[in-house]
Amino acid sequence: MCGIAGFMSLGPGPGAGAEGLTAMTDTLAHRGPDGGGQTHHDGVSLGFRRLGVIAPGGGDHPLEGPDGNVALVCNGEIYNEPELRAELSARGHRFTTPYDTEVIIHLYEEMGTDLLSRLRGQFAFALHDRGRGRLFLARDQIGVLPLHHALTPDAFVFGSEAKAILAFPGVERAVDLVGLDQVLTFPGLVSPRTMFKGVETLPGGHYLLVENGKVERRRYWDLHRPDPHAPEKSEVEYTERLLELLDRSVRRRLRADVPVGLYLSGGLDSSLIAALAERASPGHPTFSVAFPGTDIDESGYQRLVADRLSSVHHETRMGSSEIVDHLYAMVLHAETPVKESYNVCSLALADSAREADVRVVLSGEGADELFGGYVGYRLDGLGPGAPSRGSLLEEALERKVRTRLWGDPDVGYERSYHTWRRSKAPLYSEAVRASFGQVDCLRHPVVDNGALSGLDPLSRRSYLDLRLRLADHLLGDHGDRMAMARSVETRHPFLDLDVVEFAATVPPKLKVNASGEKYLVRRAAERLVPEAILGREKFGFRAPGSPSVLRAGAEWVADVLSPALIARQGYFDPTVVERLRQRSLSPDADLNPHHEDDLLFVVLTFGILLDLFGLPDLN
């Protein structure tokens, strides 16, 4: 895993050159502390920061093709590289490095952009076809790894993180207000939005071509819909196939020339992945976060699994003061405000792994979205969601919003958006409310409605979760950027493309039924995971919210939320923010992020974002 950055000059000037590229890659040193490299050719500059996971003592980046006509920088892992390398070598391709990403160059020589159909992995890369004067950028199908880009008057600029792009000369620093509204409305940002005006994220399953002064984005993969005419298999067959695919996925993700660890949440998914990893090759250390003395502590279940594995277990204990101490670092790397503090816990997990000299960890991320792990999947089975509990007019307005968002007024997801629009509006300043028609993220498309058409309710929600919850939030600000802040690579066996596409073929009744959510995953785990884990109800990962953060008493937190500063910045209403602050300070204040949005935490982390990135006041 690494960090990449670069640019293609679009104007007649000399461009930013090596100095500009170095400024960009320096912002990514945490993603690649083991070295780096650059290449400059015909107005295209590619930069690389390396985290040594495969052949950690090596170099040779950026990679170049045998004839020098292609140069590549890639952040990621290609898990089917051994098979591809053997196949390509048999056809006469000569490999010159031990790196898995070299197969991208050889596939490009044969297939051009169609090579993406052959890759199984997590990746974000930029390839310069020097012969055609083309820059080709792509992100893996699910969007595990990030890739940002922007246009200036003179250049196309890209980087693994937004901070690399902001380091490029001529990139404006300003808040994308629609992005801010997405954070307040959806689980988090939705690509291509970022928090920075003019900076976009390439969505998963897409690639970019920059050629002849034009930038074109194309989708090369999307989650396919179930075939209603496909013969249905038995429950045993589905269970055995899931185990087979997960076992192969885990074994692929254990390949590394450095130690590999396991994250344990105390839930079913990470426990199953840990059991499969132990079966494949014993001795992996485990890592978890505990909240001693609270009702959100899962350390007992985490230790149960660690004892079953006989692993060397590393437990990080977290409290309000530890969360406050790491908020600035969290926002710096998340590059977005957030509703919950559990990103800090992800940062702490990565700290623990790095201190144990572990550079790669496996997680259970993705199972909930693929196999029906949230309560919403069960509620969908009860029929079309009620538009609202208000008047007939409000119901009609909600149906209008749903039609715009999802293409169907009967599709419910997460909340009544019309009602929420009215609830969040007072939080904004008068200036933002005056232009709310442009800021309102509900007026901007977030998914392809055509992809939702005709899907059964469970498959529809799964698609929305993959696009709105998983890719940019759970895998992005919560996953990749927290781990890579400490130079740790996360791998997700449930998100192997073969597992993802298999999940789309599983009948809904084997995902959610009278026995509970994620039924098929539970069946697959029966002989591998302790009964106490199998029988647990879904317990979403939680961490202390704004009431706990405020009670920690840090003076700087009060400063960031002070009415004078909020008024000067001009994004939020200082009176409403102060009301939220006083509410959070009350002795009985408590927020469950699964049922109530922590708006004050968004305001707090947004204030930190403004400070860290030098973003201007709105006034």
Side-chain angles (χ1 to χ4, degrees), residues 180 183-184 320 323-324 326-328 330-331 336-345 427 543-550 556-557 560-561 572 577 580-581 584 591 593 596-609:
L180 175 60
V183 172
L184 287 168
S320 299
I323 288 172
V324 170
H326 291 87
L327 277 178
Y328 260 79
M330 181 271 284
V331 175
T336 178
V338 292
K339 296 188 185 79
E340 316 95 347
S341 67
Y342 64 56
N343 277 24
V344 175
C345 303
L427 180 63
S546 58
S548 297
V549 169
L550 290 183
W556 70 263
V557 172
V560 172
L561 295 174
F572 296 118
V577 172
L580 290 171
R581 192 179 76 87
S584 291
L591 288 170
E596 185 177 4
D597 284 333
D598 194 342
L599 297 181
L600 190 64
F601 206 81
V602 176
V603 175
L604 174 62
T605 51
F606 179 72
I608 295 172
L609 185 86

Side-chain angles (χ1 to χ4, degrees), residues 529-548:
V529 171
E531 180 60 36
I533 301 293
L534 286 172
R536 289 191 71 191
E537 291 187 9
K538 171 67 178 175
F539 188 93
F541 187 70
R542 291 174 53 195
S546 58
S548 297

Side-chain angles (χ1 to χ4, degrees), residues 485-545:
R486 299 298 184 252
S487 308
V488 173
E489 173 182 318
T490 50
R491 299 178 178 180
H492 314 285
F494 274 104
L495 296 177
D496 185 277
L497 190 59
D498 293 335
V499 177
V500 172
E501 294 187 335
F502 164 75
T505 71
V506 174
K509 65 183 180 182
L510 291 182
K511 295 180 180 180
V512 179
N513 57 33
S515 298
E517 293 86 13
K518 278 188 302 195
Y519 173 75
L520 189 68
V521 178
R522 292 183 188 279
R523 285 297 312 275
E526 281 180 350
R527 294 187 296 275
L528 295 166
V529 171
E531 180 60 36
I533 301 293
L534 286 172
R536 289 191 71 191
E537 291 187 9
K538 171 67 178 175
F539 188 93
F541 187 70
R542 291 174 53 195

Side-chain angles (χ1 to χ4, degrees), residues 103-434:
V103 299
I104 296 173
I105 290 176
H106 295 279
L107 283 172
Y108 181 79
E109 291 176 338
E110 287 199 359
M111 305 176 64
T113 59
D114 290 341
L115 72 90
L116 295 165
S117 66
R118 300 297 315 280
L119 298 183
R120 297 293 184 269
Q122 53 187 63
F123 55 84
F125 67 76
L127 182 149
H128 181 203
D129 183 333
R130 293 167 173 170
R132 299 184 62 167
R134 164 197 280 182
L135 194 58
F136 167 39
L137 302 98
R139 192 177 179 198
D140 65 76
Q141 293 89 343
I142 308 301
V144 176
L145 296 185
L147 187 57
H148 297 74
H149 59 93
L151 272 175
T152 74
D154 301 313
F156 170 85
V157 190
F158 71 89
S160 292
E161 298 178 8
K163 58 178 64 70
I165 293 173
L166 295 175
F168 187 81
V171 174
E172 177 189 12
R173 289 182 181 242
V175 173
D176 186 323
L177 289 173
V178 179
L180 175 60
D181 198 54
Q182 282 188 345
V183 172
L184 287 168
T185 305
F186 301 121
L189 286 164
V190 183
S191 56
R193 293 281 175 185
T194 72
M195 280 304 303
F196 307 99
K197 188 176 181 180
V199 179
E200 294 189 347
T201 300
L202 181 64
H206 286 71
Y207 68 88
L208 288 175
L209 290 178
V210 189
E211 196 170 8
N212 299 321
K214 297 180 180 179
V215 180
E216 183 180 3
R217 186 176 74 200
R218 300 177 184 174
R219 183 165 65 187
Y220 70 89
W221 181 89
D222 201 9
L223 186 64
H224 65 267
R225 62 186 64 239
D227 181 358
H229 306 295
E232 192 169 307
K233 301 180 180 67
S234 70
E235 182 178 309
V236 171
E237 288 176 302
Y238 281 114
T239 304
E240 290 178 348
R241 181 59 175 162
L242 175 58
L243 266 177
E244 176 189 340
L245 291 174
L246 281 177
D247 184 72
R248 185 177 68 182
S249 177
V250 167
R251 290 175 185 273
R252 283 176 166 179
R253 283 158 179 77
L254 290 174
R255 294 175 189 157
D257 295 329
V258 295
V260 179
L262 308 167
Y263 280 169
L264 291 180
S265 69
L268 172 66
D269 311 326
S270 63
S271 300
L272 175 56
I273 295 305
L276 290 171
E278 182 68 13
R279 188 169 73 176
S281 58
H284 302 286
T286 52
F287 303 89
S288 65
V289 169
F291 301 98
T294 71
D295 63 353
I296 60 176
D297 183 54
E298 297 184 82
S299 58
Y301 293 103
Q302 295 159 355
R303 292 173 196 152
L304 177 65
V305 177
D307 290 345
R308 173 88 167 245
L309 301 174
S310 300
S311 68
V312 176
H313 188 56
H314 304 261
E315 181 180 280
T316 300
R317 298 190 168 203
M318 297 290 289
S320 299
S321 60
E322 287 83 7
I323 288 172
V324 170
D325 290 344
H326 291 87
L327 277 178
Y328 260 79
M330 181 271 284
V331 175
L332 173 66
H333 293 286
E335 301 182 335
T336 178
V338 292
K339 296 188 185 79
E340 316 95 347
S341 67
Y342 64 56
N343 277 24
V344 175
C345 303
S346 297
L347 195 63
L349 279 171
D351 270 326
S352 180
R354 193 62 178 175
E355 288 169 5
D357 198 29
V358 170
R359 295 188 174 203
V360 177
V361 291
L362 271 57
S363 88
E365 204 71 82
D368 287 323
E369 292 78 13
L370 293 172
F371 292 97
Y374 299 121
V375 68
Y377 289 94
R378 181 176 295 280
L379 296 177
D380 283 350
L382 301 177
S388 73
R389 296 181 180 178
S391 67
L392 290 176
L393 175 60
E394 289 177 324
E395 290 187 9
L397 291 172
E398 173 63 16
R399 292 176 69 83
K400 183 178 180 180
V401 171
R402 291 182 176 188
T403 301
R404 181 187 300 120
L405 286 175
W406 323 127
D408 185 336
D410 291 324
V411 174
Y413 181 75
E414 296 294 311
R415 56 169 31 120
S416 170
Y417 286 102
H418 170 68
T419 302
W420 180 243
R421 176 191 275 152
R422 293 189 309 172
S423 299
K424 70 185 175 183
L427 180 63
Y428 286 122
S429 67
E430 183 178 343
V432 174
R433 291 197 301 270

